[in-house]
Amino acid sequence: MAAHPFVQAWVFKSGSLWVAGVVSRFVRSAIGDERFEIAFVDNGELLDANLVVALKNNAHIVINFNLDNPFTTRDGLRWRLLRKALPHYDLFVTPRYSSVEAAERLGAKCAIRVTQSADEIAHRPVILSVAETKYFRSDVAFVGTWMPERGPFMAELIQRGVPLRIFGPRWHKAPEYKRLAAYIVNGHLNGDDYVKAISGTKIALALLSKGNRDLHTTRSLEIPAIGRLLCGERTSEHLEIFEDGKEAVFWSNAEECADLCLSLLKTPVIIEQIAHAGTARVLANGNFNESTLARVLHTAGQLSVRTTK
């Protein structure tokens, strides 16, 4: 269940001031004297150092699995508690090499980098109904939240004639909103509608968060897993995962992105070939949650062996 918007805003503004105490009391009461081999903390912005230390009394290994970037200023004070608690975790897991280095500088005992992943069940090809096809159909789509760098990018795609649809929240905040409004379906999409919006397009854009210093994102794997052509920024990590032009297509700026999209839309067979190859690649690589978690648990197991020797 998502937190109330006020609570979310307070976490970002105050760094979980007062909220952390409530969370600590709840967790300690819930687990009591139970013992665990592993305590798995997802994100961890609400857990202070004292609670992480307390978890060590109940669990042999305490893991922090964090797909965001706690080491930038993008999220205000959201990660204040996590940064202080890092030395008390046994394992910190991140999708960024830069975050591994930052965590180690803050005293993390062990930090590893994993590739982002799609979900085996949620992210799969789906057949849309007639009504769903009408609602979600697009030639080129981006499904995601507005961020400052994304407005100008979308505006340039539209200016260059790309038949674009944008699904997602907060786009009304874009300074370019008047130019974008006709192309936007505002509002957060739940899991099923997110998959349907990607399934309904021919070319799906994967934009990276500059504030998060992303070099790939969950969409980089979710889009091919759903069976659609991934069109994303050309980065070292994207090129590690996919062969450009055969399993996905990449660009360095809005102009190149627009040219790629307009060219591909003239050759639907090529779109399907690349999309199919991209799906095959994520399946072959095992870019899914279970494989990722298996690696994390394997690492945790090795740490456990070391600590018991």
Side-chain angles (χ1 to χ4, degrees):
M1 183 180 294
H4 189 280
F6 174 79
V7 176
Q8 290 181 319
W10 182 252
V11 168
F12 278 72
K13 294 290 185 182
S14 73
S16 300
L17 187 65
W18 302 318
V19 177
V22 175
V23 170
S24 181
R25 288 191 293 273
F26 173 81
V27 172
R28 292 178 193 230
S29 174
I31 63 177
D33 295 327
E34 287 191 67
R35 296 290 301 170
F36 308 94
E37 185 63 29
I38 293 174
F40 188 95
V41 177
D42 186 15
N43 271 5
E45 67 264 50
L46 303 180
L47 278 69
D48 61 19
N50 289 334
L51 179 53
V52 178
V53 171
L55 287 176
K56 289 288 293 177
N57 294 325
N58 296 75
H60 193 54
I61 297 290
V62 182
I63 300 171
N64 183 284
F65 186 88
N66 194 299
L67 297 182
D68 281 294
N69 192 336
F71 311 108
T72 70
T73 59
R74 189 195 73 168
D75 293 340
L77 294 176
R78 179 185 181 187
W79 304 109
R80 177 180 67 93
L81 295 180
L82 172 61
R83 289 194 290 266
K84 291 181 178 180
L86 262 177
H88 303 289
Y89 284 100
D90 297 292
L91 177 62
F92 176 72
V93 184
T94 173
R96 297 170 192 82
Y97 292 112
S98 62
S99 291
V100 169
E101 296 169 357
E104 290 173 343
R105 287 195 297 270
L106 289 178
K109 297 174 185 175
C110 179
I112 63 170
R113 183 259 185 187
V114 297
T115 303
Q116 300 266 27
S117 53
D119 185 79
E120 292 83 352
I121 296 174
H123 305 122
R124 77 291 181 197
V126 297
I127 298 175
L128 303 181
S129 68
V130 173
E132 289 169 340
T133 299
K134 183 177 180 180
Y135 184 78
F136 289 111
R137 178 190 294 147
S138 64
D139 289 316
V140 180
F142 174 67
V143 185
T145 303
W146 169 81
M147 292 180 185
E149 69 271 14
R150 292 176 176 175
F153 185 91
M154 295 301 186
E156 185 165 353
L157 293 188
I158 292 168
Q159 182 180 340
R160 292 179 178 276
V162 174
L164 179 67
R165 290 193 80 190
I166 302 167
F167 298 86
R170 300 181 64 212
W171 283 92
H172 63 282
K173 294 188 174 184
E176 306 82 6
Y177 184 70
K178 286 185 178 179
R179 284 186 283 165
L180 302 178
Y183 304 86
I184 294 172
V185 180
N186 252 315
H188 179 75
L189 296 183
N190 64 32
D192 286 342
D193 283 345
Y194 168 78
V195 172
K196 290 172 184 177
I198 291 176
S199 296
T201 195
K202 298 173 184 175
I203 300 172
L205 301 177
L207 302 187
L208 306 178
S209 169
K210 303 305 179 184
N212 253 6
R213 302 173 188 166
D214 288 337
L215 293 176
H216 77 291
T217 182
T218 54
R219 283 168 181 74
S220 306
L221 293 312
E222 292 164 356
I223 289 167
I226 294 168
R228 285 295 169 251
L229 188 151
L230 167 66
C231 181
E233 185 175 345
R234 186 177 291 107
T235 68
S236 58
E237 292 181 6
H238 271 154
L239 295 174
E240 284 178 6
I241 304 169
F242 300 103
E243 185 173 355
D244 192 3
K246 293 189 176 181
E247 298 170 336
V249 293
F250 300 120
W251 39 263
S252 296
N253 52 47
E255 179 181 359
E256 185 180 5
C257 178
D259 289 345
L260 268 173
C261 291
L262 293 173
S263 176
L264 284 165
L265 289 172
K266 296 176 184 177
T267 53
V269 173
I270 300 299
I271 291 177
E272 289 303 315
Q273 287 176 350
I274 297 174
H276 181 75
T279 302
R281 172 52 54 202
V282 297
L283 290 170
N285 286 355
N287 296 128
F288 291 91
N289 288 340
E290 287 192 10
S291 297
T292 299
L293 289 176
R295 181 191 167 196
V296 171
L297 294 177
H298 176 73
T299 303
Q302 292 179 316
L303 293 174
S304 180
V305 170
R306 290 177 202 166
T307 58
T308 55
K309 284 184 177 179

